[in-house]
Amino acid sequence: MSMWPILISIPVLALGLLFQTAVISRMTLLSGTADLILLILAAWGLQERVKHAWVWAGVAGLLVGFVSGVPGYVYLASYLAIVGVARLLTRRVWQAPLLAMFSVSLIGTLVLHLTTFVVLVLLQVPLPLGNSFAQIILPSILLNLLFAIPVLSLMRDLANRLFPAEVEL
């Protein structure tokens, strides 16, 4: 088993996080923003030949948890759940990658934002669910679905370079 895919996760996710914090976070719709790391993990988890998607989720959870104001375990748990959904869809349900990417993006955004909402409420941060859903969660879902196609394309290209298809003779 090669360490190359694991080692490549750190610069890919670090660059994704830099791009997310510097550029993507400035593109808001109401109060919602896209989550580039979520989309990278969803697209990476949907690649059939990828073997290290769980490691990528762990690295991403630690990186985003480090720079976020939300407790780090929220991102770690949410990103692991997102990769789990992506791997489940890859193995069991769909062979249509675009539909799977949209599904994982939708489910992942809901999981991440609802987990964040629950943790913040438990930490006694007053948040109204209706406003949070309308102003943050729904716009974030829309933005994530908008960015899902280019991220899926980029991650498919990276997976094809790291895990080339075996040629049968």
Side-chain angles (χ1 to χ4, degrees), residues 8 12 39-50 56 87 90 94-102 147-165:
I8 198 77
V12 168
L39 295 173
I40 288 171
L41 292 174
W44 190 250
L46 288 171
Q47 304 307 312
E48 290 184 31
R49 294 184 301 244
V50 166
W56 281 54
R87 300 309 286 172
T90 300
W94 284 316
Q95 293 300 318
L98 192 57
L99 183 58
M101 181 65 180
F102 284 150
F147 288 115
I149 296 171
V151 171
L152 177 63
S153 175
L154 289 171
M155 296 312 291
R156 183 183 301 143
D157 288 346
L158 180 62
N160 287 337
R161 289 182 189 274
L162 292 176
F163 302 103

Side-chain angles (χ1 to χ4, degrees), residues 121-144:
V121 166
L122 290 175
L123 293 173
Q124 299 179 349
V125 176
L127 293 172
L129 179 60
N131 286 347
S132 298
F133 196 76
Q135 297 288 318
I136 299 170
I137 297 173
L138 287 178
S140 296
I141 289 172
L142 183 62
L143 288 171
N144 280 345

Side-chain angles (χ1 to χ4, degrees), residues 83-140:
V83 168
V85 169
R87 300 309 286 172
L88 180 70
L89 288 179
T90 300
R91 289 200 169 93
R92 303 210 182 229
V93 182
W94 284 316
Q95 293 300 318
L98 192 57
L99 183 58
M101 181 65 180
F102 284 150
S103 299
V104 174
S105 299
L106 175 74
I107 293 167
T109 304
L110 285 171
V111 164
L112 177 64
H113 284 286
L114 291 176
T115 304
T116 303
F117 179 82
V118 167
V119 168
L120 290 176
V121 166
L122 290 175
L123 293 173
Q124 299 179 349
V125 176
L127 293 172
L129 179 60
N131 286 347
S132 298
F133 196 76
Q135 297 288 318
I136 299 170
I137 297 173
L138 287 178
S140 296

